[in-house]
Amino acid sequence: MKILVIYTGGTIGMVRTAAGFAPSAGLVEAELQKLGAELEHGFALSLATLVPAIDSANASPLDWNRIADEIVAAYQTHDAFVVIHGTDTLAFTASALCFALEGLGKPVILTGAMVPLSEPGSDGSANLADALRAAQSSAPGVWVQFAGKLLHGARARKVHSSAFDAFTAGDAAVPPCRPAGRLQFHRYADASVSVLTVAPGGCTSVFEYAMGHCDGVILRCYGAGTAPDTPGLRAGLAAAKQRGIPVVAVSQSDGGGAAMGTYASGSFLVEAGVIDGGAMTVEAAYAKLTHVLGLAGPVDRRALVEVDLCGEFGSPRQVQGR
Ligand code: ASP
């Protein structure tokens, strides 16, 4: 079995500097060599390093394209892929790869670390070893391997900023891949999507600005999909409607998701054409909206956002309950 490891950066390969942890060359390469020799294996490793290695805080959809490009280029010659990534936006990238790689028929495993390999007690070596094992045994799709858990790529979230067990994922009805006869990479375009959170009495002119300027908006509503009915949000939604840009509602609650129409107080959102993001995570909703905005030609973007492409809406119970 041939595994391609794609190293993008992140804490795992960082060293301590006066300004804080920063990417450094060589650490991950040395660890992979060590693991390659140590692990019981019948696999051959090759390494692609994205230069420069970055803190994933600086990742953009163009970096999602760079990772997907590596996978596509090596798809015929490799059986599985491990993507080493910073944890801050790892869940965004996992979702993004799920949507972009239609017809993915091989495992893609994302992993990283909370403590650099260069520091005592690092979780990097264990996560890397687990990811290499997962690459050999997992079903096709995009998975997150972290702290001993294999998580659905379109449902994963970073839920802790310092614990080793930093990721979780809700239920999913289907594996993290979009079935198709052959691999087709949908490249991300440079869409400007913003994520806005409603809060009691919060400044609302920001809605008007974003919905008047961005290509799409993710609206983090309360609970089942309510939001404060304010002139600012109404003006924003009117601008979005007039410009024909999608606004997708997701829930600020960790479980259950949005279910627009549950409460009369949320009806103005439905009337304004806000799309129900159901149980999608904000990461999945952001990647999905960026994906559909990047598709060329006559596409029903609303219908594509509303349909479950790769398990991002969660379990069947959650989908039916919407
Ligand atoms: N800031 C780092 C990154 O996302 C955090 C990490 O990797 O854990 O690249």
Side-chain angles (χ1 to χ4, degrees):
M1 161 171 269
K2 289 183 78 178
I3 302 174
L4 175 66
V5 179
I6 303 167
Y7 173 43
T8 70
T11 292
I12 192 166
M14 292 188 183
V15 292
R16 209 177 271 275
T17 72
F21 290 126
S24 153
L27 278 172
V28 165
E29 292 82 341
E31 188 62 29
L32 282 171
Q33 249 179 11
K34 197 179 109 210
L35 283 175
E38 273 174 19
L39 288 176
E40 275 279 307
H41 65 77
F43 63 83
L45 286 186
S46 33
L47 177 67
T49 304
L50 298 193
V51 181
I54 58 168
D55 187 305
S56 77
N58 292 318
S60 77
L62 301 181
D63 295 293
W64 304 342
N65 284 342
R66 294 204 301 157
I67 296 167
D69 275 332
E70 293 291 342
I71 293 170
V72 171
Y75 196 72
Q76 297 307 333
T77 52
H78 290 75
D79 304 293
F81 304 86
V82 170
V83 179
I84 302 175
H85 199 287
T87 61
D88 287 343
T89 64
L90 188 149
F92 287 88
T93 300
S95 283
L97 293 175
C98 284
F99 298 123
L101 297 173
E102 189 172 359
L104 179 68
K106 300 183 180 187
V108 174
I109 316 291
L110 282 86
T111 197
M114 301 302 285
V115 174
L117 288 163
S118 56
E119 295 285 311
S122 170
D123 54 335
S125 185
N127 284 346
L128 218 44
D130 286 348
L132 291 171
R133 286 190 202 100
Q136 296 167 78
S137 57
S138 302
V142 181
W143 304 92
V144 173
Q145 175 69 51
F146 218 90
K149 298 188 293 195
L150 186 71
L151 304 168
H152 191 286
R155 300 283 293 142
R157 305 202 65 197
K158 181 176 177 179
V159 290
H160 205 287
S161 64
S162 57
F164 282 172
D165 193 4
F167 285 82
T168 189
D171 295 346
V174 295
C177 57
R178 300 175 63 181
R182 63 176 182 89
L183 181 68
Q184 197 188 346
F185 169 30
H186 303 284
R187 187 171 291 279
Y188 284 92
D190 214 1
S192 80
V193 175
S194 74
V195 180
L196 305 177
T197 301
V198 301
C203 168
T204 60
S205 51
V206 67
F207 298 119
E208 227 174 314
Y209 182 84
M211 293 173 188
H213 289 80
C214 298
D215 299 324
V217 171
I218 306 296
L219 192 62
R220 295 186 66 236
C221 295
Y222 302 130
T226 58
D229 188 349
T230 60
L233 181 50
R234 278 188 180 259
L237 292 171
K241 201 168 192 174
Q242 196 245 321
R243 295 176 62 233
I245 67 141
V247 177
V248 181
V250 295
S251 177
Q252 294 179 31
S253 303
D254 282 342
M260 312 282 295
T262 304
Y263 292 97
S265 62
S267 59
F268 78 104
L269 300 171
V270 179
E271 281 153 24
V274 173
I275 301 170
D276 191 338
M280 275 196 284
T281 64
V282 68
E283 294 87 345
Y286 182 87
K288 190 175 188 181
L289 192 52
T290 308
H291 162 67
V292 302
L293 287 168
L295 295 174
V299 178
D300 185 345
R301 295 193 161 77
R302 182 184 185 98
L304 257 185
V305 172
E306 284 177 335
V307 78
D308 188 85
L309 297 177
C310 51
E312 70 274 18
F313 278 108
S315 68
R317 188 185 54 77
Q318 283 168 305
V319 174
Q320 281 159 14
R322 287 192 301 135

